[in-house]
């Protein structure tokens, strides 16, 4: 039998191999070219921030009731009675039910300690804390006084905030971009370069409510006074951080 398989000319095989080698080398060469172009570009990598100050329009306050009794049941019962009075006072002061949230509830055994003696159980302490949101700051002091008169004996902290921080954040963004552009122009004058285009812009930071002081104030009994507690909201600082990469040229 004769072999009828067709064979390529001897000169064709090296040509094909050479073509494949050339095609395989083209992709890395192209990638290397792009990388070289990127490294050859001169850029400024800069960061800046913008700030705006605005008066708060809401406050969050933590207050509660702490009671002691010989038994756990009595401590909880006494606490529940006084906390119900506090809740009623809050609602009467204009605080909506949706703005009152239980944030902590504890029952702890109390012991007396004497040297060389085992701890002696003296009773139980119940603590119930609520966090309230006040959306009308003119009512804040009166609300605190009303709850204390109703039986609240701890006020642990207060923080001020904004119902909608969008406008304040946008104002801070504009200030941040202005500061960024001014910095790019300053570096350009110092180095003899001018900006060609903005390559990248990223943002960080933003509105954060002021943290509560620890503690703000504490009450041991009822308050009987003509004027409500004076609480000043001051101003909130809203800050936006930005960073950018500018391509520059001579």
């Amino acid at each position: 039998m004769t072999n009828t398989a067709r064979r390529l000319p001897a000169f064709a095989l090296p040509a094909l191999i050479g073509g494949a080698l050339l095609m395989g080398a083209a992709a890395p060469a192209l990638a290397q070219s792009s990388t070289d172009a990127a490294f050859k570009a001169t850029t400024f990598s800069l960061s800046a921030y913008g700030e705006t100050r605005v008066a708060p329009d809401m406050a969050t306050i933590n207050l509660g009731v702490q009671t002691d009794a010989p038994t756990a049941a009595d401590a909880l019962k006494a606490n529940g009675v006084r906390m119900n009075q506090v809740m009623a006072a809050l609602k009467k002061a204009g605080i909506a039910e949706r703005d009152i949230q239980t944030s902590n509830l504890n029952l702890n055994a109390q012991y007396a300690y004497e040297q060389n003696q085992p701890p002696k159980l003296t009773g139980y302490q119940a603590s119930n804390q609520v966090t309230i949101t006040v959306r009308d700051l003119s009512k804040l002091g009166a609300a605190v006084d009303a709850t204390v008169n109703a039986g609240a004996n701890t006020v642990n902290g207060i923080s001020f905030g904004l119902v909608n921080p969008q406008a304040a954040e946008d104002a801070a963004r504009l200030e941040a971009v202005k500061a960024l552009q001014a910095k790019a122009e300053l570096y350009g004058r110092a180095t003899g370069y001018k900006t060609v285009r903005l390559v990248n812009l990223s943002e960080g930071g933003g509105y954060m409510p002021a943290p509560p002081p620890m503690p703000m104030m504490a009450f041991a009994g009822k308050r009987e006074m003509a004027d409500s507690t004076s609480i000043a909201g001051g101003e909130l600082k809203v800050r936006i951080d930005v960073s950018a990469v500018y391509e520059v040229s001579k």
Side-chain angles (χ1 to χ4, degrees):
M1 293 179 64
T2 60
N3 187 355
T4 58
R6 298 181 61 187
R7 294 185 179 181
L8 293 173
F11 64 84
L13 187 58
L16 288 174
I17 294 175
L21 291 174
L22 287 175
M23 290 175 64
L30 182 60
Q32 185 64 39
S33 177
S34 300
T35 303
D36 290 343
F39 277 109
K40 288 178 181 178
T42 302
T43 60
F44 289 165
S45 297
L46 305 174
S47 61
Y49 69 90
E51 285 184 352
T52 185
R53 293 178 179 271
V54 61
D57 57 11
M58 64 171 288
T60 302
I61 188 167
N62 181 271
L63 53 84
V65 172
Q66 183 174 292
T67 54
D68 296 277
T71 68
D74 288 343
L76 281 174
K77 182 178 180 180
N79 193 283
V81 170
R82 292 176 64 175
M83 182 53 74
N84 287 337
Q85 295 172 348
V86 169
M87 293 287 197
L90 285 171
K91 294 173 184 177
K92 188 176 181 180
I95 307 301
E97 188 172 351
R98 67 186 176 93
D99 292 329
I100 305 173
Q101 182 180 52
T102 299
S103 54
N104 193 21
L105 178 62
N106 285 318
L107 177 66
N108 296 307
Q110 303 297 297
Y111 294 91
Y113 296 91
E114 296 182 9
Q115 190 173 4
N116 300 323
Q117 296 293 326
K120 181 180 179 181
L121 179 66
T122 59
Y124 292 84
Q125 183 179 87
S127 176
N128 193 345
Q129 301 287 323
V130 294
T131 299
I132 64 172
T133 300
V134 181
R135 302 179 189 275
D136 182 354
L137 295 185
S138 65
K139 299 179 180 179
L140 181 57
V144 171
D145 288 341
T147 57
V148 172
N149 288 331
N153 53 13
T154 59
V155 181
N156 295 320
I158 184 171
S159 63
F160 294 93
L162 299 171
V163 174
N164 184 2
Q166 184 68 47
E169 287 182 335
D170 287 346
R173 287 185 179 99
L174 292 175
E175 293 300 319
V177 172
K178 288 179 183 178
L180 193 65
Q181 292 174 335
K183 188 178 288 188
E185 292 174 1
L186 176 64
Y187 277 104
R189 291 194 300 270
T191 59
Y193 282 85
K194 61 180 180 179
T195 58
V196 175
R197 66 187 180 99
L198 176 64
V199 177
N200 178 270
L201 178 67
S202 60
E203 176 186 305
Y207 160 71
M208 290 292 289
M214 294 297 291
M216 183 189 74
M217 46 187 163
F219 297 92
K222 293 186 177 182
R223 290 168 55 88
E224 300 292 346
M225 58 191 310
D227 297 327
S228 64
T229 299
S230 178
I231 301 176
E235 285 186 328
L236 297 177
K237 180 172 68 175
V238 179
R239 170 170 170 155
I240 296 292
D241 295 279
V242 293
S243 58
V245 176
Y246 290 95
E247 182 180 348
V248 297
S249 67
K250 286 287 189 179

